Amino acid sequence: MQKMAELLGLRDEHREGARGASALTSSCLADNRLTLDVYPDGCCQLLRLFEGRRAEVVRVEFLRLSSNDRQLDDALGILPHLKRLKSLVLKGGHARDEFGSCQHGSLTSLPPDVGTLRCLTHLDLSFNSLSTLPSCISHLPSLRMLLVSHNSLVALPDDFGSLSKLTFFSAMKNQLKDLPRSIGELAALEDLDLSENALEFLPEEVGNLHSCTELDLSGNRLLSIPDSLANLKSLRRLHLHSNLLVTVPASLASLPNLSRLDLQNNCLRAVPPEIQTAPFVHLRGNPLGEVKPSLQADESSATELRRLFLASGEDSFTVTSEGCKVVLACGTRFYFPPGAASDPLQIHFRTLAPGPQWVKLRHHDVLLSRVLELQPHGVKFQQEVQIWMPYASPETLHQREVVVRTFSGQSWSDLRTQVEQKRKSKKHMAHCSVLHFSWFLVVSRLVQNECKVPAEGTLLFSSVDPNIKVTFPPGVTEETRSVKLQVLPVSAEEIAELTADAGCRASPLLCLSQDSQVDFLRPVKIQLPLPLGVTGLSLDRSRLHLLRGDLQGQAWEDITHQVVLEFTHLYAVFEVTHFSWYWLWYTTKTYIGGIAKKVYERLRLYQVNFIALQRKKDPEQVLLQCLPKHKVDPALKKLQDRYRGPEPSDIVEMFEGEQFFAAFERGISIDMDRPDCVDGRLLFIFYSHLKNMKEIYVSSPVDRKGQAVKGQVSFYRGAVPESIPEDASRRRKGPDSLWLATLPIKLPRLKPRWGENPSPLNGFSFPPLNLGNAETGYLTQANLLSIARRMGADWQTIGLSLGLSYQQIERIVYNNREDLDKQILDMLFSWAQQNSEDPNCVSKLITAMKDSGRQDIADEVEAIVELGRQKYRESIRRVGLEQESSAEDSAIAM
């Protein structure tokens, strides 16, 4: 207690905290349940509660804490005092790193005295840092559900079979290599999930799990499975996809209750006919009927490699030394040649929305794809792995090239890329080869010509404009260095429009760079074509200016009088010793450096429109999009059948990769807890060739029963990319320059429901309802309220298990933002109303609780229903109807 007092501070310094603890106790200790993982300081609140209301805390039966909490270790000391605890959740994943990945919790062990919690039936330690299973778990005699997924477990203890009452065990996404033989002693186990581990074989004792109904062994390294699995007569679903299976026992087909056998993405070249013809067997992605390649097979035998086709819900696969071909649901393809991986290697992947932390664009780059992350990072393959990434068609981008850009861990670099187009789907694919996995994206850049410059000198031409060339004389360098050349063509029409001067002319923009910081030892000769319409014969030298820009394009200097300019009929030739941007201008204007800077900035801008449309059948669903002006009309034409809304906004200008925000105003609101919501506004990032679209649900605090709500959505500027010139960024700051556009949004008046007889329920109105019936047991409205109070943060998972769609869940969140209780009540009672006539609705509710990992609530519902059945039977006996009914049933049967 002394340590606890030190953590909490002196009592007189924390009177406000004590009052907060009192308020928290009254709201969180109801029904002996504490849900503190939704608070960033949940562990601290538990410590305060334990100090101030210890007698109440020790009666808690259900406790949830976040293992991302910094004071978790101190809070763990309280657990042995909670002798009545039935359900304990210590999950990580509540915090995210800078790249958006869920952070595992800090939990590495449990206090030994946790093993004295005789009442504990449900323990969830997922998303943590466990390398071994805490020994105290084996001493929990009542434990029925154990979840340790997303940890770093390499083995289970030998006495794991002592958990005789265990019915559910999930250890997915760990590093388990084998299983203890004692696992066969788990006679009550019904659901076993060991997917995405490193299991290479299974003990025969697995066949002793006679109560098991679902067994998930997908994503491991199994070459075979024991024949003893045929003893699992209760098994309904067996998941073995994404392993290395070369054979399966025919006896699996005879399991009496089996409804799904998933053998997809294995190495099966032949399967027993009993399995191949069974309707519940899935065999896609196996080399059925193919001959095993010889050891001398080379890349020409790639068609004989194992093929994997991954569904949208999968995020990993296993590669062996035999190699394989993989197709992801998003269209990305891989070719792992034989020998690329010496040992079986599990590959994890995910597709990320582009953002500043991922996307690093250079001048005039255009993003064409989302970001693909491949793990493990840093592992070197023995042979190059080929990747095909789909990307948006760059139809409007001319005289450019498409490349795959990757992150090495310290810097971004461009890979040698080939562009392909599928014949049937017409999809564009970027093809590259790599030895390491990291982050990948597809960009369109200015065509890049490069060469190695030796001491003997060389010549470099532009493939975009062969009239541009760079001559390196002998002795220009002592050591060989790499030089890159890029050209940005600029039409005379663009120059005239941007300068508002029809007499202005400019050459193509030339960018030269090198991999050395040292200037050249001898001048390098550069040849640029004269601006269009200007020749050496008609040249007025007073109007010609040679400009040099820094590599960031933020400053342009007139160097006409610093170099010796020579002219031919079509070209200007000059010499330099260091590289940068070079640009020839022909104009009567004097301060040409400032004009060129503005024109260069404008060349990087896109003219765009904003659209805000509402779904015709559901006006609360709003679609927001930012599009380049030439794409607006085709987009509206595709959407006009399902959406309606105002005309697009006026044209505004934006940079590639520039942030902007959408703010709903004047009576329209959204869910503030969305991950893309910043200070109440939706965050967007503009990429000219991506969709820049979000579809969200809106609500209104205004009572819409009497009138419609006429609101609006306004768009505001955010941060600009790092590569944008400083002056351009500075001009966009300030209250007058942030606003971009405003579009109206109208929510119609709500029509009252006919015949509705509502009764107040925490701000909601639902007609009285009971689920089920007296004979089979039913749940009253009071029972549903009690169940709702126990759900906590799991309500969304439970709702999905009940059959609600993700959009319905999202709507409930938006309509009841910042009020968890109302979200839970809205979900549960809406579902109950829709299913009140279904005689099986109570059993569906119980099943949904179990599927959502809430066995504690499922047990409570079953207890309530059983009590109802008992009361019904007793009432029948009291009035003497039971025997009479039995006799009547017998008469009917005759």
Side-chain angles (χ1 to χ4, degrees):
M1 294 299 294
Q2 181 179 0
K3 181 180 179 181
M4 197 172 300
E6 292 175 356
L7 288 168
L8 300 175
L10 297 175
R11 196 179 298 259
D12 57 351
E13 293 179 357
H14 291 278
R15 292 175 181 170
E16 188 64 30
R19 287 194 294 270
S22 177
L24 181 67
T25 301
S26 61
S27 60
C28 292
L29 281 180
D31 292 332
N32 296 327
R33 179 181 180 86
L34 268 176
T35 303
L36 298 175
D37 55 344
V38 296
Y39 303 102
D41 60 343
C43 289
C44 181
Q45 294 193 29
L46 177 62
L47 293 169
R48 289 178 177 174
L49 285 169
F50 189 71
E51 184 191 29
R53 300 290 184 89
R54 179 168 180 167
E56 296 175 73
V57 173
V58 296
R59 293 199 297 269
V60 165
E61 298 179 0
F62 306 93
L63 175 63
R64 297 178 65 94
L65 293 173
S66 167
S67 56
N68 295 112
D69 198 306
R70 289 177 297 179
Q71 291 189 254
L72 176 67
D73 291 340
D74 302 304
L76 292 178
I78 295 176
L79 297 182
H81 299 279
L82 309 182
K83 299 299 183 183
R84 299 186 183 184
L85 199 61
K86 294 181 180 179
S87 175
L88 175 61
V89 178
L90 299 172
K91 289 177 63 175
H94 295 273
R96 294 182 178 271
D97 60 19
E98 59 179 325
F99 299 116
S101 301
C102 290
Q103 289 184 327
H104 283 226
S106 59
L107 186 70
T108 57
S109 63
L110 289 176
D113 290 343
V114 170
T116 64
L117 300 178
R118 316 293 293 180
C119 299
L120 193 65
T121 62
H122 173 253
L123 179 60
D124 189 348
L125 306 177
S126 304
F127 280 99
N128 278 295
S129 305
L130 297 173
S131 57
T132 58
L133 199 66
S135 58
C136 61
I137 292 179
S138 299
H139 303 292
L140 297 170
S142 302
L143 194 63
R144 296 180 58 184
M145 299 188 67
L146 176 60
L147 296 90
V148 290
S149 58
H150 296 269
N151 276 278
S152 302
L153 298 175
V154 295
L156 298 176
D158 291 337
D159 62 347
F160 188 69
S162 63
L163 297 171
S164 58
K165 293 186 178 180
L166 198 67
T167 61
F168 180 94
F169 177 55
S170 174
M172 68 176 296
K173 289 203 174 181
N174 278 273
Q175 300 169 22
L176 297 175
K177 296 183 179 179
D178 52 33
L179 299 175
R181 299 177 62 181
S182 65
I183 196 170
E185 300 172 14
L186 301 175
L189 192 63
E190 298 176 2
D191 197 324
L192 177 58
D193 186 354
L194 297 171
S195 59
E196 299 192 47
N197 278 277
L199 296 174
E200 297 180 359
F201 66 92
L202 299 176
E204 290 285 341
E205 287 76 10
V206 171
N208 297 331
L209 301 175
H210 299 297
S211 299
C212 189
T213 60
E214 181 158 2
L215 177 58
D216 194 341
L217 297 167
S218 60
N220 281 280
R221 303 174 183 175
L222 298 172
L223 294 170
S224 63
I225 55 176
D227 294 336
S228 62
L229 286 187
N231 299 330
L232 304 181
K233 304 301 183 182
S234 301
L235 197 62
R236 297 177 183 175
R237 293 174 293 275
L238 177 57
H239 307 277
L240 291 166
H241 68 80
S242 305
N243 274 280
L244 308 175
L245 295 176
V246 295
T247 180
V248 290
S251 54
L252 291 180
S254 62
L255 289 172
N257 294 305
L258 197 62
S259 61
R260 182 178 181 86
L261 174 56
D262 193 345
L263 296 169
Q264 298 180 91
N265 298 330
N266 277 281
C267 302
L268 297 170
R269 300 183 184 277
V271 295
E274 300 94 323
I275 288 182
Q276 191 161 5
T277 57
F280 53 80
V281 178
H282 301 264
L283 290 166
R284 183 185 180 191
N286 283 282
L288 294 174
E290 297 181 7
V291 179
K292 186 175 182 179
S294 62
L295 296 177
Q296 291 78 23
D298 55 13
E299 289 187 9
S300 64
S301 64
T303 55
E304 301 177 2
L305 292 179
R306 182 169 64 112
R307 296 187 297 271
L308 304 180
F309 299 89
L310 302 189
S312 58
E314 298 179 83
D315 61 359
S316 67
F317 56 90
T318 301
V319 178
T320 66
S321 58
E322 293 183 358
C324 62
K325 298 169 73 175
V326 183
V327 180
L328 306 186
C330 62
T332 300
R333 296 186 288 125
F334 303 93
Y335 166 56
F336 294 86
S342 55
D343 298 313
L345 179 65
Q346 191 166 25
I347 305 297
H348 293 268
F349 61 89
R350 59 174 179 158
T351 303
L352 305 164
Q357 70 272 41
W358 306 112
V359 180
K360 303 300 180 183
L361 298 179
R362 307 184 183 107
H363 285 224
H364 309 288
D365 284 350
V366 175
L367 182 66
L368 300 178
S369 75
R370 292 168 66 90
V371 181
L372 174 66
E373 182 185 8
L374 298 173
Q375 294 181 333
H377 299 161
V379 174
K380 184 175 182 179
F381 293 99
Q382 304 301 314
Q383 297 187 45
E384 287 190 334
V385 176
Q386 298 184 46
I387 305 176
W388 288 262
M389 290 183 63
Y391 62 91
S393 171
E395 296 176 356
T396 60
L397 302 176
H398 305 293
Q399 297 177 315
R400 303 171 69 91
E401 60 187 356
V402 173
V403 295
V404 175
R405 185 163 294 170
T406 184
F407 186 62
S408 65
Q410 297 180 343
S411 61
W412 289 86
S413 59
D414 293 344
L415 301 174
R416 189 180 300 275
T417 306
Q418 295 179 343
V419 174
E420 303 174 7
Q421 187 173 8
K422 290 186 177 182
R423 293 182 180 179
K424 294 183 179 180
S425 64
K426 302 298 182 181
K427 287 185 178 179
H428 295 266
M429 305 292 287
H431 176 203
C432 64
S433 300
V434 297
L435 286 172
H436 301 271
F437 275 175
S438 179
W439 291 270
F440 301 87
L441 51 89
V442 182
V443 299
S444 171
R445 71 180 186 187
L446 299 178
V447 174
Q448 184 170 284
N449 302 111
E450 56 185 308
C451 70
K452 297 290 185 180
V453 179
E456 297 79 14
T458 188
L459 186 64
L460 178 61
F461 283 90
S462 167
S463 60
V464 174
D465 188 344
N467 296 317
I468 298 177
K469 66 179 182 179
V470 183
T471 305
F472 299 90
V476 71
T477 180
E478 293 180 350
E479 298 182 357
T480 300
R481 62 180 77 182
S482 178
V483 173
K484 298 177 182 179
L485 177 153
Q486 290 177 297
V487 172
L488 175 64
V490 186
S491 67
E493 292 78 11
E494 285 181 295
I495 294 294
E497 180 183 355
L498 295 176
T499 60
D501 184 355
C504 272
R505 296 285 189 274
S507 71
L509 255 167
L510 171 63
C511 178
L512 293 170
S513 60
Q514 60 169 322
D515 61 355
S516 174
Q517 301 295 324
V518 181
D519 288 346
F520 290 101
L521 301 180
R522 295 187 60 188
V524 176
K525 183 178 293 186
I526 298 175
Q527 175 181 291
L528 280 178
L530 291 170
L532 186 65
V534 179
T535 66
L537 299 177
S538 61
L539 178 68
D540 181 353
R541 291 201 172 204
S542 65
R543 298 176 58 184
L544 190 72
H545 303 269
L546 176 61
L547 305 181
R548 180 179 62 202
D550 60 15
L551 291 178
Q552 299 303 318
Q554 296 189 14
W556 291 87
E557 179 186 5
D558 189 343
I559 60 171
T560 307
H561 301 295
Q562 300 177 24
V563 298
V564 177
L565 274 171
E566 299 177 359
F567 300 97
T568 67
H569 182 62
L570 298 175
Y571 309 114
V573 181
F574 57 95
E575 294 181 337
V576 297
T577 55
H578 70 277
F579 282 172
S580 185
W581 287 91
Y582 294 97
W583 206 356
L584 274 176
W585 276 70
Y586 193 74
T587 178
T588 57
K589 298 182 180 294
T590 54
Y591 182 56
I592 190 60
I595 297 174
K597 181 178 180 179
K598 293 180 180 179
V599 171
Y600 181 79
E601 176 187 323
R602 293 284 301 277
L603 288 173
R604 300 179 61 188
L605 284 169
Y606 292 86
Q607 293 187 328
V608 303
N609 298 94
F610 297 100
I611 59 175
L613 304 176
Q614 294 173 261
R615 191 176 286 269
K616 292 180 179 179
K617 295 183 178 180
D618 189 0
E620 286 85 1
Q621 189 169 349
V622 179
L623 182 148
L624 303 178
Q625 193 169 14
C626 175
L627 290 168
K629 63 178 183 179
H630 68 278
K631 295 184 178 181
V632 172
D633 289 340
L636 291 177
K637 188 175 181 180
K638 291 181 180 179
L639 297 170
Q640 63 184 2
D641 292 336
R642 292 174 294 143
Y643 295 85
R644 65 164 60 95
E647 292 294 318
S649 71
D650 293 336
I651 291 177
V652 297
E653 293 182 330
M654 301 192 75
F655 289 104
E656 182 85 2
E658 181 175 352
Q659 287 184 352
F660 66 94
F661 296 92
F664 288 91
E665 301 163 340
R666 299 181 63 181
I668 306 291
S669 58
I670 60 171
D671 176 24
M672 301 294 183
D673 295 328
R674 290 174 57 108
D676 57 352
C677 189
V678 180
D679 297 330
R681 304 183 300 175
L682 284 178
L683 171 63
F684 290 77
I685 301 179
F686 172 74
Y687 294 107
S688 59
H689 280 64
L690 302 186
K691 288 187 176 181
N692 310 309
M693 179 178 68
K694 293 184 181 181
E695 194 164 6
I696 60 171
Y697 281 101
V698 299
S699 59
S700 175
V702 180
D703 184 5
R704 292 166 55 198
K705 292 182 179 180
Q707 61 180 356
V709 177
K710 297 181 179 180
Q712 64 186 30
V713 57
S714 295
F715 298 90
Y716 299 89
R717 293 194 187 278
V720 296
E722 296 177 357
S723 60
I724 297 303
E726 183 179 353
D727 287 352
S729 177
R730 187 184 304 118
R731 287 197 300 272
R732 288 165 176 256
K733 296 180 180 179
D736 295 332
S737 58
L738 294 182
W739 176 83
L740 291 167
T742 296
L743 296 172
I745 297 290
K746 181 179 179 180
L747 296 181
R749 182 173 64 90
L750 293 178
K751 298 179 180 179
R753 297 179 180 178
W754 179 83
E756 194 176 62
N757 183 24
S759 57
L761 183 65
N762 196 26
F764 289 96
S765 296
F766 294 104
L769 56 87
N770 292 323
L771 296 185
N773 55 67
E775 185 173 0
T776 60
Y778 62 83
L779 298 175
T780 65
Q781 187 163 289
N783 296 143
L784 292 175
L785 279 172
S786 176
I787 293 169
R789 282 195 291 267
R790 291 181 179 272
M791 285 189 188
D794 289 333
W795 74 268
Q796 296 188 33
T797 304
I798 295 171
L800 292 172
S801 298
L802 285 171
L804 276 70
S805 67
Y806 180 79
Q807 288 186 337
Q808 288 175 303
I809 295 291
E810 193 177 33
R811 168 77 68 83
I812 291 171
V813 173
Y814 294 168
N815 290 344
N816 307 286
R817 57 189 178 88
E818 300 181 358
D819 195 327
L820 180 62
D821 291 339
K822 286 188 176 182
Q823 293 171 6
I824 297 170
L825 289 171
D826 194 354
M827 182 278 293
L828 184 60
F829 279 81
S830 296
W831 173 85
Q833 269 193 304
Q834 296 171 7
N835 294 271
S836 59
E837 302 299 327
D838 185 354
N840 298 318
C841 59
V842 175
S843 61
K844 289 181 179 178
L845 180 61
I846 294 172
T847 302
M849 295 300 175
K850 292 180 179 179
D851 293 343
S852 305
R854 294 306 303 272
Q855 184 69 40
D856 56 319
I857 301 181
D859 291 343
E860 178 186 351
V861 176
E862 289 177 333
I864 294 172
V865 171
E866 181 58 29
L867 180 61
R869 291 197 195 105
Q870 292 177 5
K871 290 182 178 180
Y872 177 75
R873 286 194 293 265
E874 290 174 0
S875 65
I876 292 294
R877 281 194 292 268
R878 281 198 302 270
V879 298
L881 294 177
E882 185 174 27
Q883 184 176 0
E884 184 176 294
S885 298
S886 300
E888 184 179 352
D889 291 342
S890 300
I892 294 173
M894 295 173 63

